[in-house]
């Protein structure tokens, strides 16, 4: 009997290895799998490459993982906001490597990994520093129909940590509104996908037309309690 429901986040996280590339869903604080990040901190895997849209808020979630010293490199599109001081300190002190990727490119590079696409040409970043490799050499470019494009490669993950709304024991998932964001493409791009859900339902209870991530892409499902999302990136009013 296929049953992907894990007893705990710690159990689901047991196989994460040092040096892994970890895809973490979320847009700001919407859809961040906080419980899974906490479990990863407790598990202790180090030298990680983390892929996320942002670079953490305050001292919780992704920022807590960075603060724990477990991340070697972060790939993201929006590393700076009012409360991203953990990232800022680590990056400025040379303790954290950054690969800055335009948001659309980030989503498409993840989608390409899941779709089996070897590489693709994209106009975003042409003529800027974003069209350079990490060593400063230029990325391959090509003119297509009179427009310049930059060659981009997929981003593959060893593990994806995502937050869904509802799931079943086969790993079929639905999401809640904007919490969906990067979860579906990250699930397809990783060798192992771990998802939290607020509700586990019986097989057949989910409308097949409403399932966003089929269970074939999901390795473990962890049920969590529903808690209010913490706002991030905003200054407190006086």
């Amino acid at each position: 009997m296929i049953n992907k429901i894990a007893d705990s986040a710690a159990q689901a996280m047991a196989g994460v290895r040092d040096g892994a590339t970890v895809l973490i869903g979320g847009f700001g604080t919407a859809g961040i799998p906080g419980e899974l990040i906490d479990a990863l901190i407790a598990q202790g895997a180090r030298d990680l490459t983390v892929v996320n849209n942002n670079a953490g808020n305050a001292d919780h979630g992704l920022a807590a993982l960075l603060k724990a010293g477990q991340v070697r490199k972060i790939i993201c599109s929006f590393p700076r906001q009012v409360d991203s001081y953990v990232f800022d300190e680590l990056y400025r002190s040379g303790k954290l490597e950054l690969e800055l990727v335009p948001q659309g490119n980030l989503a498409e590079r993840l989608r390409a990994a899941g779709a089996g696409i070897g590489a693709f040409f994209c106009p975003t970043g042409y003529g800027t520093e974003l069209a350079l490799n990490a060593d400063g050499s230029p990325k391959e470019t090509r003119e297509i129909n009179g427009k310049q494009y930059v060659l981009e490669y997929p981003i593959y993950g060893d593990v994806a940590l995502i937050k869904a709304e509802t799931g079943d024991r086969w790993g079929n998932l639905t999401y809640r509104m904007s919490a969906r964001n990067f979860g579906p493409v990250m699930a397809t791009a990783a060798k192992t996908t771990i998802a939290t859900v607020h509700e586990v339902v019986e097989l057949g209870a989910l409308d097949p037309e409403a399932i966003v991530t089929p269970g074939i892409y999901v390795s473990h499902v962890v049920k969590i309690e529903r808690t209010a999302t913490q706002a991030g990136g905003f200054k407190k009013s006086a």
Side-chain angles (χ1 to χ4, degrees), residues 21-27 30-33 49-54 62 74-77 103 106-115 155-163 173 175 179-195 212-214 217-219:
T21 295
V22 182
L23 316 179
I24 300 179
F27 186 97
I32 282 284
T49 295
V50 165
V51 182
N52 182 258
N53 184 66
N54 297 75
L62 177 54
I74 186 165
I75 302 173
C76 71
S77 62
Q103 191 172 89
L106 183 68
E108 186 64 6
R109 288 176 66 186
L110 290 163
R111 192 194 72 82
I155 297 175
Y156 300 97
D158 295 300
V159 182
L161 308 181
I162 62 176
K163 182 177 182 179
L173 303 176
Y175 299 81
R180 173 173 169 172
N181 49 72
F182 288 91
V185 291
M186 287 184 170
T188 67
K191 297 175 183 176
T192 298
T193 294
I194 305 169
V212 178
T213 298
Y217 294 113
V218 178
S219 308

Side-chain angles (χ1 to χ4, degrees), residues 34-229:
E35 292 80 2
L36 297 181
I37 295 173
D38 290 344
L40 180 58
I41 294 171
Q43 191 259 18
R46 307 187 70 81
D47 196 33
L48 302 174
T49 295
V50 165
V51 182
N52 182 258
N53 184 66
N54 297 75
N57 300 93
D59 292 300
H60 52 80
L62 177 54
L65 182 64
L66 298 179
K67 191 173 183 178
Q70 293 171 240
V71 181
R72 176 185 64 83
K73 177 181 179 179
I74 186 165
I75 302 173
C76 71
S77 62
F78 190 65
R80 289 298 307 278
Q81 51 197 36
V82 173
D83 60 353
S84 59
Y85 48 81
V86 173
F87 161 81
D88 190 64
E89 180 180 344
L90 291 171
Y91 178 68
R92 290 180 183 275
S93 63
K95 297 177 181 177
L96 182 66
E97 183 181 345
L98 169 67
E99 181 180 341
L100 190 63
V101 181
Q103 191 172 89
N105 287 21
L106 183 68
E108 186 64 6
R109 288 176 66 186
L110 290 163
R111 192 194 72 82
I117 296 171
F120 61 93
F121 282 97
C122 181
T124 307
Y126 177 81
T128 74
E129 292 186 14
L130 295 175
L132 300 177
N133 293 306
D135 62 2
S137 62
K139 296 180 180 179
E140 181 180 341
T141 59
R142 183 176 298 182
E143 182 178 333
I144 303 174
N145 293 328
K147 190 171 184 177
Q148 297 293 339
Y149 290 78
V150 181
L151 185 65
E152 299 287 355
Y153 289 92
I155 297 175
Y156 300 97
D158 295 300
V159 182
L161 308 181
I162 62 176
K163 182 177 182 179
E165 179 71 10
T166 306
D168 59 28
R169 66 177 174 84
W170 280 5
N172 297 309
L173 303 176
T174 65
Y175 299 81
R176 182 180 184 276
M177 304 168 91
S178 62
R180 173 173 169 172
N181 49 72
F182 288 91
V185 291
M186 287 184 170
T188 67
K191 297 175 183 176
T192 298
T193 294
I194 305 169
T196 59
V197 298
H198 295 300
E199 183 181 8
V200 176
V201 299
E202 295 296 322
L203 289 179
L206 295 175
D207 179 356
E209 297 297 328
I211 293 172
V212 178
T213 298
I216 193 172
Y217 294 113
V218 178
S219 308
H220 306 287
V221 175
V222 180
K223 188 178 185 300
I224 61 170
E225 297 299 320
R226 192 182 301 278
T227 57
T229 299

